[in-house]
Structure formats: C-alpha cells, structure tokens
Amino acid sequence: MNLKIFKLKKSHLTKKGTKNIYFFLINNIKNSVFSVFGHDYFLKLLKLNYQDTFYIKKRGQIVSYISYINKINEDKMKKLLLFFILKNILFNLPILILNYKIFFKIHEPPNNYIQLIHLIIKIKEKEKKIKLKLHKKIENLHKKIVNKKYQGVYAIYENKNVIASKYYRKSNFKIFKKNIFFSFVKKKF
C-alpha cells in the first residue's frame, strides 16, 4: 500500500533509464505522439522538462506519471515536434491528417500558470483508499510545483475522456476554454 514519489533525474535520461516510464506512458495514452515518434523523441522532450517530471510507484510498479512544462519549454517542445514532423514529412503527413484533432489543442496559456502536460493514474477501482492517498500526493505535488513561481496549474484533456473530466472536477479545476474536442482547465493555488 506504500506509495512513493520519484523525481526524474538527469542520470535517468537514457533509453534504459526511461524504458519503464516510456512504456507506461504509451500503454496508457492512446495515439500518443510518443508512440508515433518513438522513444528517441520522448527522450528529447524529457531533456527539456525532466526537472518537473515525476512518477509514483506502488510495490515497485509505476502507478502514476506526472509532468509539468513551463511556457518557455512548451515553445521549445512545439519547435521540436515541428522538426520531427518536417524531418519525414511524407510519412508524417498522413498521421497528421488522421490526427487532425491535435490542432484544436493550440491555445494561449493563462498568465503565470504551469501546464500539467501528463497525468496518468493507474489504480484499480476497488483500491479506493490507495486512490484517495494517491490523489492527495498529486495535489501536494501540484502545490510544490507552483510554490511561489506560478499562480496555479492548468491542463488540457479530451472532452470524451470521462475519467480526466471527473478528476479535474473533483480537484476543483475550472474550465477556462473549451472547443469541440478539448477542455482547458486551471486551478489557482
């Protein structure tokens, strides 16, 4: 029942060091950009924001992955993504067309908020006490990340993602923008 938070370290930024995290991520986010561009792309992005990347283990197994990104690194991430797309445009163009929804994620971030770019929680429904404890740890992590540098945290999730919607509503995040595919939520700390 013991949940332990780990912060990603610079020494982990190798394929071997991030293998379990990478597979946890692509197995739990359908059609992830990382499953398209691979582990190398994931590593390049991690090098931008590994300082704000965490994972939680229960009995040696990863049960949660949380990462944040600030505006400066988000801009770098977008440029890196564009480079990866243009690097092999003939291969990537059909993928972009099939995943056109990604263009609906384009947004103006709220001033002085850090983006919660990944939040994956994988606890069985029957383990309610553990789930509550995990949610509390994540809430405390949000506060720690914000800690006088930002006003709060914001996130984007797909409207059809009922679990994310439920999490953000229960955690008192407020919708500040919505389109046909995505909701943009924020919480001030």
Side-chain angles (χ1 to χ4, degrees):
M1 187 160 136
N2 208 9
L3 297 168
K4 186 162 167 69
I5 296 178
F6 295 89
K7 183 175 183 173
L8 201 63
K9 295 178 183 157
K10 194 172 186 173
S11 61
H12 294 146
L13 298 179
T14 64
K15 274 193 171 182
K16 185 180 178 185
T18 59
K19 180 181 171 189
N20 290 340
I21 295 168
Y22 173 73
F23 283 108
F24 180 79
L25 195 72
I26 64 168
N27 288 332
N28 289 291
I29 300 179
K30 291 181 178 141
N31 303 320
S32 164
V33 69
F34 304 121
S35 31
V36 175
F37 294 118
H39 203 155
D40 289 332
Y41 177 69
F42 176 67
L43 274 174
K44 285 188 187 285
L45 284 186
L46 270 183
K47 288 175 183 171
L48 293 177
N49 75 319
Y50 72 90
Q51 304 91 331
D52 295 321
T53 301
F54 305 85
Y55 57 99
I56 299 174
K57 285 187 169 185
K58 179 185 137 214
R59 293 187 194 113
Q61 294 289 93
I62 298 173
V63 293
S64 186
Y65 177 79
I66 307 113
S67 68
Y68 306 85
I69 194 163
N70 63 31
K71 176 71 174 119
I72 293 165
N73 286 339
E74 185 180 357
D75 291 341
K76 289 178 184 176
M77 179 186 75
K78 288 175 184 174
K79 287 176 185 171
L80 188 61
L81 179 60
L82 188 61
F83 171 77
F84 264 81
I85 290 168
L86 294 176
K87 188 172 149 184
N88 194 350
I89 191 71
L90 293 175
F91 175 76
N92 293 324
L93 192 58
I95 293 168
L96 281 176
I97 292 168
L98 290 172
N99 294 296
Y100 64 91
K101 288 191 289 188
I102 195 168
F103 297 107
F104 286 86
K105 273 190 173 182
I106 297 170
H107 66 286
E108 186 61 38
N111 283 339
N112 207 22
Y113 279 72
I114 190 164
Q115 184 179 359
L116 174 60
I117 195 163
H118 295 109
L119 175 59
I120 303 169
I121 300 170
K122 216 54 181 167
I123 296 281
K124 293 176 183 146
E125 207 47 51
K126 63 182 180 179
E127 298 180 292
K128 289 187 187 221
K129 283 184 181 179
I130 294 172
K131 199 172 213 175
L132 287 172
K133 190 176 176 183
L134 181 62
H135 283 261
K136 187 70 175 163
K137 282 189 176 284
I138 292 169
E139 184 75 10
N140 290 336
L141 189 58
H142 292 337
K143 289 175 186 173
K144 184 179 171 184
I145 289 293
V146 168
N147 187 29
K148 298 177 189 168
K149 280 176 84 176
Y150 304 98
Q151 283 184 28
V153 174
Y154 83 98
I156 305 166
Y157 67 90
E158 227 176 321
N159 291 334
K160 67 180 184 180
N161 187 340
V162 177
I163 294 168
S165 175
K166 188 176 173 183
Y167 169 82
Y168 290 118
R169 193 172 48 257
K170 279 185 173 182
S171 299
N172 297 315
F173 279 73
K174 305 292 179 218
I175 294 175
F176 69 91
K177 182 181 174 186
K178 193 171 187 169
N179 61 42
I180 59 174
F181 296 111
F182 297 99
S183 291
F184 302 76
V185 294
K186 66 181 181 178
K187 181 174 181 177
K188 191 172 185 175
F189 287 94

